[in-house]
């Protein structure tokens, strides 16, 4: 009988110890910071060489596609940065430009807005059929022009060489967009750049039509990896020319 009581007491004590250990472990786990999701390589800043000039790329997913190959092409010539985000439409640019610029001294800023501005949205702010009478462009042309002027003026004040990059073509069948609208938006942008002066234009639209059209995805504004590499070649060349002339 004594052995049985002793055994029961031991078992009970062990159970209590295990429960306390489990609780403590849970409390310790709760105190541990959650693991951060791995950041996209494109959004990771480059290893900075303080002896090199700094370049900032601003733009949507098209620029995201050519960021890493541009960085590679400019290795040893410049530190190439971009915001850790899709810059989206000009409304987003107006709102976030100061945080994107930060306090770094920029030597060249290459920027574009357009494909998100001209796309059609529904009442729930989702991508819409342009033929739907209830749809509307995310940023109408007049507002786009005003926003782009505000952004461009701020970029000029940084003292950097500023390069405006024309919006790339919208193919037939692209969801939420009308082919040719990019031409109207590019024309409006060209007038802004001419009015402000001192801003170079990278005619990426014509470059795509001549050299990259086969690498643009069917009925899609985006490009294959090979297409992004070709865009990067043009972008890097424009930036390198300006760096050489500084």
């Amino acid at each position: 009988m004594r052995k049985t009581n002793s055994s029961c007491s031991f078992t009970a004590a062990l159970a209590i110890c295990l429960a306390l250990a489990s609780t403590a472990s849970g409390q310790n786990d709760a105190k541990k910071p959650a693991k951060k999701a791995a950041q996209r390589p494109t959004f990771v800043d480059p290893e900075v060489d303080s002896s090199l000039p700094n370049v900032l790329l601003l733009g949507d997913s098209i620029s995201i596609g050519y960021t890493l190959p541009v960085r590679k092409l400019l290795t040893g010539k410049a530190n190439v940065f971009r915001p850790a985000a899709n810059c989206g439409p000009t409304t987003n640019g107006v709102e976030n430009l100061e945080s994107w610029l930060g306090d770094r001294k920029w030597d060249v800023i290459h920027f574009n807005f357009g494909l998100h501005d001209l796309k059609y949205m529904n009442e729930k702010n989702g991508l819409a059929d342009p033929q739907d009478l209830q749809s509307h462009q995310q940023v109408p042309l007049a507002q786009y022009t005003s926003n782009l002027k505000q952004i461009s003026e701020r970029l000029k004040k940084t003292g950097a060489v500023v390069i405006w990059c024309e919006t790339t073509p919208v193919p037939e069948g692209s969801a939420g967009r009308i082919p040719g609208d990019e031409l109207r938006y590019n024309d409006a942008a060209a007038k802004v750049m001419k009015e402000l002066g001192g801003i170079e234009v990278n005619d990426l639209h014509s470059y795509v039509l001549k050299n990259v059209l086969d690498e643009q995805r069917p009925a899609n504004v985006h490009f294959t990896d090979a297409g992004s590499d070709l865009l990067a070649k043009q972008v890097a060349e424009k930036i390198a020319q300006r760096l050489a002339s500084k």
Side-chain angles (χ1 to χ4, degrees):
M1 189 68 177
R2 292 177 182 175
K3 289 183 180 179
T4 302
N5 288 339
S6 176
S7 176
C8 290
S9 298
F10 176 76
T11 301
L14 180 62
I16 292 172
C17 289
L18 289 174
L20 291 173
S22 177
T23 300
S25 176
Q27 290 174 343
N28 289 335
D29 287 344
K31 293 178 182 179
K32 291 178 182 178
K35 290 183 179 180
K36 293 183 179 179
Q39 195 172 26
R40 292 176 62 173
T42 309
F43 293 162
V44 176
D45 285 346
E47 292 186 14
V48 177
D49 182 338
S50 59
S51 68
L52 297 178
N54 297 315
V55 172
L56 178 63
L57 303 179
L58 298 176
D60 54 31
S61 55
I62 306 303
S63 73
I64 291 174
Y66 61 64
T67 293
L68 289 181
V70 166
R71 186 176 291 168
K72 183 177 180 180
L73 288 168
L74 293 179
T75 298
K77 298 179 181 178
N79 303 307
V80 179
F81 295 81
R82 72 159 295 110
N86 183 322
C87 296
T90 52
T91 46
N92 199 35
V94 169
E95 181 179 351
N96 294 288
L97 189 59
E98 292 303 323
S99 64
W100 294 342
L101 290 173
D103 56 5
R104 193 179 301 278
K105 179 187 180 300
W106 300 109
D107 295 274
V108 176
I109 301 175
H110 182 279
F111 76 116
N112 166 265
F113 295 91
L115 286 177
H116 281 264
D117 295 83
L118 58 81
K119 70 181 181 182
Y120 282 78
M121 313 295 288
N122 58 32
E123 58 184 8
K124 295 181 179 179
N125 209 33
L127 201 61
D129 181 353
Q131 303 306 318
D132 186 340
L133 296 180
Q134 301 301 315
S135 68
H136 63 278
Q137 286 185 299
Q138 181 157 241
V139 183
L141 191 59
Q143 184 185 356
Y144 171 80
T145 303
S146 176
N147 291 345
L148 192 61
K149 182 177 180 180
Q150 182 178 339
I151 292 169
S152 302
E153 288 176 333
R154 176 64 183 94
L155 294 181
K156 286 190 66 177
K157 288 180 181 179
T158 65
V161 171
V162 181
I163 303 175
W164 162 250
C165 179
E166 287 201 345
T167 298
T168 48
V170 175
E172 289 288 346
S174 299
R177 297 176 174 89
I178 297 177
D181 274 354
E182 79 279 8
L183 296 175
R184 297 191 302 115
Y185 279 66
N186 277 337
D187 285 345
K191 291 176 182 176
V192 169
M193 304 311 151
K194 183 176 181 180
E195 177 186 345
L196 295 179
I199 298 178
E200 186 175 337
V201 175
N202 180 7
D203 187 358
L204 207 61
H205 186 279
S206 294
Y207 179 79
V208 168
L209 294 179
K210 294 176 182 177
N211 305 285
V212 198
L213 212 52
D214 290 342
E215 296 297 338
Q216 191 166 31
R217 301 184 187 280
N220 197 315
V221 296
H222 298 96
F223 297 84
T224 64
D225 290 344
S228 291
D229 286 343
L230 289 171
L231 295 180
K233 182 179 179 181
Q234 169 73 359
V235 172
E237 183 177 326
K238 285 288 184 181
I239 293 172
Q241 288 173 353
R242 294 303 311 194
L243 289 172
S245 65
K246 286 197 71 175

